[in-house]
């Protein structure tokens, strides 16, 4: 009997164990929350205990106790740019596991999540230029808004011009957006309850919007000054007959005043305009429920808006209660917009360049008075050409794709003769290739290229005047090659621009000889 009791005691003790330590604790610290993700591995665990502190001393009591079905937790109300210590324990009726520990800093800068990008639920459309890579995105897979990427303080150039909400903006009291998350997307919505206040009291119109620039703080969350391809996947709806309905994905010039809205030569309320006439101050990739595309630009000498640079409504698409993908390709010399991967219209006249040469504020939002308006956003992704090893020229080795993009001209890819990679560029007599590129202004650069062939090559680098596309005399050389690859260099300096604006430069190669020439490994780099 004693032996049986002893065996039962030993067996019960063996069963009543604390759970195993959780695995794979992954952390992300933003300015407003810390995300914890982990893997639980005990069948008998009742849940998890989470502890955190600014000191490396585990608190006596957990800051949160959560159920066993959860393997993600958000620590909120944290201090920005502060290091925290985190402890995670699994627990059951017997007790708690040993803690799984981590250190995490609440930075104000977003960062790409490479694991997330490798496991996207929905692929981007076919409109993404071959060779571009994601440089910024939000999949909206979190349960909270990532405020390293977004501000919830809606404001724009038009609002600053009208000054309806100027005091609220300056005192950090703007109406906050209605938004909800389901772990896969974000809903931006307006209704009778949310936002609490209308943005325009006279009409009752409310706005639920997120954006990548904060006017009051003059803080930019996204440097997209080199342009790129930007795409969102959205579903839009409304009910109850709201007035002033709008759902929008758009780009606006930043603040903290009207200098980008006003054209050069205009002075209003002590603010001098810096925008060249004909350059956009706003790009509406879509607005309204018919997905109108608009380029805004013409403003008179008194600051009054005159008319759009371009407007287009694509036919043959259903936008209400349907998932639709919208994209815009913004390059140094063109703006193109896409729906579901299809090119709708290209604005690529090189003597009428609409493109901005500075960063733009990106907005996603719903607008309406009465009833309800909802825009569900699956993702937003920004793509740019990768720039490697100090080279500021996209696709320098002609290996990024089979269409030579973003190069233009009559040159041809060849795989028969090359210096590096899979391809080089072949120029027959009279053939050329060129590219418009954003560079830092007022800066000394060097163009370097490898050339094979005894023909004559003319290389030209010219500064481009915004909007008109007028080229300066530039820098040029004309050289002869040899039977083997040899390097050729050209020093040049970019023209001046406003503050940290980019300078648009045209790089061009022309075969002026009588035989074939091969080019490879082109490089544009700053002179140190």
């Amino acid at each position: 009997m004693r032996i049986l009791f002893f065996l039962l005691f030993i067996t019960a003790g063996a069963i009543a164990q604390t759970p195993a330590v959780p695995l794979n604790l992954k952390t992300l610290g933003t300015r407003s929350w810390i995300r914890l993700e982990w893997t639980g591995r005990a069948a008998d665990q009742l849940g998890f205990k989470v502890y955190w502190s600014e000191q490396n001393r585990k608190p006596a009591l957990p800051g949160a106790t959560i159920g066993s079905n959860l393997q993600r937790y958000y620590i909120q109300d944290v201090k920005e740019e502060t290091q925290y210590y985190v402890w995670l324990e699994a627990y059951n009726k017997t007790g708690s596991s040993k803690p799984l520990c981590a250190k995490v800093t609440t930075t104000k800068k977003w960062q790409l999540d490479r694991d997330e990008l490798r496991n996207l639920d929905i692929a981007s459309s076919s409109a993404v230029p071959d060779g571009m890579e994601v440089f910024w995105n939000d999949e909206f897979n979190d349960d909270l808004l990532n405020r390293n990427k977004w501000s919830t303080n809606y404001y724009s150039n038009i609002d600053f011009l009208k000054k309806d909400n100027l005091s609220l903006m300056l005192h950090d009291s703007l109406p906050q957006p209605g938004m909800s998350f389901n772990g896969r997307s974000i809903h931006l919505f307006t209704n009778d309850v949310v936002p609490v206040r209308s943005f325009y009291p006279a009409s009752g119109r409310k706005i639920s919007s997120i954006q990548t620039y904060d006017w009051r703080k003059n803080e930019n969350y996204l440097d997209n000054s080199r342009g790129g391809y930007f795409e969102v996947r959205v579903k839009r709806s409304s009910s109850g007959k709201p007035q002033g309905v709008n759902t929008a994905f758009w780009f606006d010039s930043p603040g903290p005043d009207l200098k980008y809205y006003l054209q050069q030569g205009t002075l209003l309320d002590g603010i001098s305009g810096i925008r060249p006439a004909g350059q956009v101050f706003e790009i509406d990739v879509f607005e309204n429920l018919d997905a109108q595309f608009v380029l805004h630009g013409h403003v008179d000498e008194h600051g009054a808006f005159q008319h759009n640079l371009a407007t287009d409504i694509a036919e043959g698409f259903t936008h209400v209660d349907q998932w639709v993908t919208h994209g815009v390709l913004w390059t140094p010399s063109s703006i193109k917009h896409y729906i579901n991967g299809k090119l709708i219209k290209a604005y690529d006249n090189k003597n009428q360049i609409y493109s901005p040469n500075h960063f733009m504020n990106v907005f996603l939002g719903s607008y309406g008075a009465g009833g309800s308006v909802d825009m569900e956003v699956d993702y937003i992704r920004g793509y740019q050409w990768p720039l490697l090893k100090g080279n500021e020229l996209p696709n320098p080795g002609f290996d990024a794709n089979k269409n030579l993009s973003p190069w233009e001209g009559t040159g041809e890819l060849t795989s028969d003769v090359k210096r590096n990679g899979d391809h080089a560029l072949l120029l027959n007599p009279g053939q050329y290739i060129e590219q418009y590129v954003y560079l830092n202004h007022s800066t000394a650069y060097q163009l370097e290229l490898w050339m094979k062939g005894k023909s004559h090559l003319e290389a030209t680098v010219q500064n481009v005047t915004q909007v008109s596309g007028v080229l300066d005399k530039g820098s040029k050389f004309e050289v002869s090659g040899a039977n083997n690859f040899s390097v050729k260099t050209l020093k040049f300096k970019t023209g001046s621009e406003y503050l940290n604006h980019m300078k648009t430069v045209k790089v061009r190669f022309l075969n002026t000889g009588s035989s074939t020439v091969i080019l490879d490994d082109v490089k544009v780099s700053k002179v140190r």
Side-chain angles (χ1 to χ4, degrees):
M1 188 69 177
R2 289 179 179 178
I3 294 174
L4 179 60
F5 177 79
F6 178 76
L7 290 174
L8 288 173
F9 177 79
I10 294 297
T11 303
I15 294 174
Q17 293 180 341
T18 57
V21 179
L23 295 176
N24 307 321
L25 179 59
K26 183 179 178 182
T27 64
L28 174 65
T30 73
R31 68 180 69 197
S32 56
W33 46 258
I34 296 171
R35 184 184 69 203
L36 309 177
E37 293 181 295
W38 63 90
T39 302
R41 60 191 187 115
D44 63 337
Q45 64 195 15
L46 297 178
F48 303 92
K49 296 177 182 179
V50 184
Y51 305 77
W52 61 90
S53 174
E54 293 178 49
Q55 290 76 42
N56 191 13
R57 294 191 302 272
K58 179 185 164 189
L61 298 175
T65 301
I66 60 178
S68 61
N69 61 322
L70 300 177
Q71 297 191 33
R72 173 188 282 187
Y73 182 74
Y74 294 85
I75 302 171
Q76 300 185 55
D77 300 321
V78 296
K79 299 176 184 177
E80 61 186 32
E81 298 186 315
T82 301
Q83 181 174 273
Y84 284 84
Y85 295 86
V86 176
W87 298 263
L88 174 70
E89 299 173 349
Y91 77 93
N92 59 17
K93 291 180 180 179
T94 301
S96 299
S97 70
K98 292 182 179 179
L100 184 59
C101 308
K103 285 191 299 186
V104 57
T105 300
T106 54
T107 66
K108 295 172 66 175
K109 302 294 184 182
W110 55 266
Q111 56 187 354
L112 287 177
D113 186 330
R114 298 296 178 182
D115 290 339
E116 180 182 67
L117 292 175
R118 282 191 290 267
N119 297 283
L120 297 175
D121 294 333
I122 301 291
S124 297
S125 77
S126 58
V128 179
D130 191 10
M132 278 193 174
E133 296 178 359
V134 173
F135 81 101
W136 173 83
N137 73 309
D138 201 332
E139 304 300 311
F140 300 111
N141 292 336
D142 277 301
D143 300 330
L144 300 168
L145 187 68
N146 188 333
R147 294 176 186 264
N148 285 6
K149 299 180 180 181
W150 302 101
S151 166
T152 56
N153 294 317
Y154 174 87
Y155 212 71
S156 70
N157 276 271
I158 296 301
D159 297 300
F160 194 85
L161 179 70
K162 295 179 178 179
K163 296 181 171 58
D164 291 339
N165 293 278
L166 178 59
S167 179
L168 292 176
M169 184 270 286
L170 293 175
H171 291 89
D172 197 20
S173 298
L174 289 166
Q176 294 300 291
M179 54 186 179
S180 64
F181 301 83
N182 56 24
R184 300 179 306 279
S185 63
I186 182 176
H187 284 266
L188 294 164
F189 60 90
T190 66
N191 56 38
D192 292 335
V193 178
V194 180
V196 175
R197 297 193 311 272
S198 60
F199 198 82
Y200 298 110
S203 65
R205 195 182 196 206
K206 296 183 175 183
I207 298 176
S208 289
S209 175
I210 55 177
Q211 43 278 319
T212 61
Y213 170 78
D214 190 295
W215 269 72
R216 184 181 66 86
K217 296 184 292 184
N218 191 23
E219 182 179 5
N220 180 28
Y221 300 169
L222 172 62
D223 182 8
N224 54 12
S225 54
R226 290 181 182 268
Y229 175 76
F230 300 85
E231 180 173 285
V232 301
R233 184 172 183 259
V234 298
K235 183 191 289 187
R236 291 154 285 193
S237 62
S238 65
S239 61
K241 298 182 179 179
Q243 302 300 307
V245 175
N246 189 12
T247 51
F249 164 40
W250 58 294
F251 294 67
D252 190 42
S253 297
D257 51 43
L258 288 177
K259 62 179 174 288
Y260 286 94
Y261 170 80
L262 301 174
Q263 293 179 170
Q264 291 174 349
T266 300
L267 180 67
L268 181 67
D269 296 336
I271 303 300
S272 297
I274 64 170
R275 182 174 56 86
Q279 186 183 71
V280 297
F281 68 83
E282 178 182 326
I283 304 170
D284 296 325
V285 185
F286 67 76
E287 64 175 352
N288 305 324
L289 292 181
D290 59 3
Q292 177 179 249
F293 178 90
V294 185
L295 300 177
H296 294 279
H298 284 302
V299 177
D300 71 14
E301 65 274 13
H302 304 294
F305 178 73
Q306 295 298 291
H307 56 84
N308 302 327
L309 298 169
T311 304
D312 183 64
I313 299 177
E315 302 292 337
F317 296 93
T318 300
H319 295 287
V320 177
D321 296 324
Q322 298 288 328
W323 283 108
V324 183
T325 301
H326 295 262
V328 61
L329 178 60
W330 153 21
T331 78
S333 61
S334 69
I335 294 175
K336 302 177 182 180
H337 78 104
Y338 302 78
I339 299 178
N340 291 341
K342 177 183 177 182
L343 176 63
I344 302 301
K345 203 155 193 177
Y347 303 89
D348 53 6
N349 181 349
K350 294 194 174 51
N351 298 117
Q352 178 55 68
I353 300 173
Y354 295 136
S355 306
N357 59 330
H358 53 80
F359 84 85
M360 296 284 276
N361 185 7
V362 181
F363 291 74
L364 293 169
S366 293
Y367 312 69
S372 65
V373 180
D374 179 84
M375 182 169 74
E376 183 178 4
V377 186
D378 183 357
Y379 64 76
I380 180 169
R381 296 169 190 159
Y383 289 80
Q384 288 182 340
W385 296 102
L387 303 179
L388 304 174
K389 298 180 180 179
N391 193 348
E392 300 192 34
L393 188 70
N395 195 9
F398 312 106
D399 287 319
N401 48 53
K402 298 295 180 64
N403 56 22
L404 283 172
S405 178
W407 295 96
E408 298 177 280
T410 55
E412 307 166 25
L413 278 179
T414 178
S415 57
D416 296 332
V417 181
K418 68 252 186 186
R419 180 173 180 268
N420 278 310
D422 296 323
H423 302 95
L425 178 76
L426 183 150
L427 292 178
N428 287 311
Q431 288 187 324
Y432 75 95
I433 194 165
E434 63 186 27
Q435 182 179 162
Y436 285 69
V437 61
Y438 284 131
L439 298 176
N440 295 114
H441 73 81
S442 308
T443 301
Y445 281 90
Q446 176 175 284
L447 169 68
E448 176 183 296
L449 65 99
W450 288 82
M451 170 184 175
K452 180 177 181 179
K454 294 185 176 181
S455 189
H456 297 287
L457 179 75
E458 179 185 275
T460 309
V461 180
Q462 295 169 284
N463 289 292
V464 181
T465 301
Q466 294 302 125
V467 184
S468 70
V470 171
L471 305 170
D472 71 357
K473 184 179 179 180
S475 300
K476 178 189 295 189
F477 68 55
E478 186 165 356
V479 295
S480 298
N483 289 329
N484 296 313
F485 277 106
S486 59
V487 65
K488 312 295 180 183
T489 60
L490 173 67
K491 294 188 185 305
F492 66 95
K493 186 175 182 179
T494 54
S496 62
E497 268 295 346
Y498 181 81
L499 290 181
N500 59 347
H501 288 191
M502 307 303 291
K503 185 63 184 178
T504 303
V505 170
K506 179 182 177 182
V507 178
R508 190 172 193 265
F509 303 117
L510 170 67
N511 185 346
T512 58
S514 58
S515 59
T516 297
V517 67
I518 304 294
L519 303 182
D520 206 353
D521 297 330
V522 185
K523 185 175 185 178
V524 172
S525 58
K526 292 176 182 175
V527 176
R528 301 298 181 184

